[in-house]
Amino acid sequence: MDTPIQSFYVHDDGEVPNHPELPVMVYKGVFQDGALSMEAAFKRHGWSGSWSGGIYEEHHYHSNTHEVLGVKAGSATVLVGGDAGQRLELLEGDVLVIPAGVAHKKLESSFDFEVTGAYPNGASPNLRKRDPAQRAQSISEIQNVPIPDQDPVFGEEGPLLHKWVK
C-alpha cells in the first residue's frame, strides 16, 4: 500500500456537527486505472448504492451514514468541515471518505469533474444542511452510525479500520 493517505479531524463549528470521533480520510491517487475499478472496489468492500455526478456547492452532510467519494474525472477544490474546515484539492483517482455528520461542499472544479459516491452496506443517505431545528436529532443519529466492516478501497486490511475506532 504505497498510496499517500491523509487523515484529519474537523470539529463541531456550531452550525454543522461534523463527527466527534472519526477523522476524514483522503487517499491520494489510489485509482490510476479508471473509474470502473473504483466503483467495483467500493462495491466489493461493502460500500454500495453508488451514484455518479458532482458535489453540492453548499454545505451539507449525512447524519445517518458515512460516504465515500472517488474522483472519476477532473479536479475540484472541496471544503470539508464547514466554513472553518479544511480545503482539499482533489484530482482524478483520489478518494475522500467522509464520516457521518461531516459537512462538505464543492468550491470550484474543472468542467469535467465527476465523482462516484457510495455508502456502507448501500445505506440511503439523508441530506442535512445548516438547520438549528435538526441539530439535536442529527447529533444523536451521527453517534449511532456504526463503523463499516471494510475500508472502501482496501477492504479488511485498510487504513480506515485502524483510524476509525470508537
Side-chain angles (χ1 to χ4, degrees), residues 95-110:
V95 171
L96 175 63
V97 187
I98 306 167
V102 173
H104 49 290
K105 77 174 191 174
K106 181 181 78 170
L107 297 174
E108 58 189 22
S109 67
S110 61

Side-chain angles (χ1 to χ4, degrees), residues 17-19 60-66 99-102 125-128 134-135 137-145:
N18 292 310
H19 199 288
H60 69 284
Y61 63 94
H62 312 291
S63 63
N64 65 336
T65 187
H66 309 297
V102 173
N126 60 17
L127 182 63
R128 299 279 193 252
Q134 290 184 328
R135 186 174 171 74
Q137 178 184 355
S138 291
I139 290 171
S140 175
E141 290 171 350
I142 291 162
Q143 293 170 345
N144 291 315
V145 175

Side-chain angles (χ1 to χ4, degrees), residues 7-26:
S7 66
F8 60 92
Y9 293 90
V10 289
H11 302 285
D12 187 329
D13 70 356
E15 292 193 11
V16 292
N18 292 310
H19 199 288
E21 299 169 340
L22 304 180
V24 174
M25 305 282 294
V26 183

Side-chain angles (χ1 to χ4, degrees), residues 71-129:
V71 181
K72 289 174 66 170
S75 62
T77 303
V78 176
L79 182 59
V80 177
D83 288 334
Q86 189 161 333
R87 291 172 64 105
L88 300 175
E89 302 299 325
L90 299 177
L91 305 173
E92 185 173 331
D94 291 351
V95 171
L96 175 63
V97 187
I98 306 167
V102 173
H104 49 290
K105 77 174 191 174
K106 181 181 78 170
L107 297 174
E108 58 189 22
S109 67
S110 61
F111 74 94
D112 60 341
F113 177 68
E114 186 176 6
V115 295
T116 290
Y119 309 93
N121 301 314
S124 182
N126 60 17
L127 182 63
R128 299 279 193 252
K129 298 180 181 176

Side-chain angles (χ1 to χ4, degrees), residues 1-64:
M1 189 180 338
D2 296 333
T3 302
I5 298 171
Q6 306 165 358
S7 66
F8 60 92
Y9 293 90
V10 289
H11 302 285
D12 187 329
D13 70 356
E15 292 193 11
V16 292
N18 292 310
H19 199 288
E21 299 169 340
L22 304 180
V24 174
M25 305 282 294
V26 183
Y27 301 68
K28 297 300 285 181
V30 70
F31 286 102
Q32 299 300 320
D33 56 349
L36 291 177
S37 65
M38 182 183 300
E39 188 171 347
F42 296 164
K43 187 173 184 178
R44 186 172 57 252
H45 298 128
W47 292 65
S48 55
S50 64
W51 55 270
S52 291
I55 299 173
Y56 291 121
E57 294 180 357
E58 60 184 325
H59 290 297
H60 69 284
Y61 63 94
H62 312 291
S63 63
N64 65 336

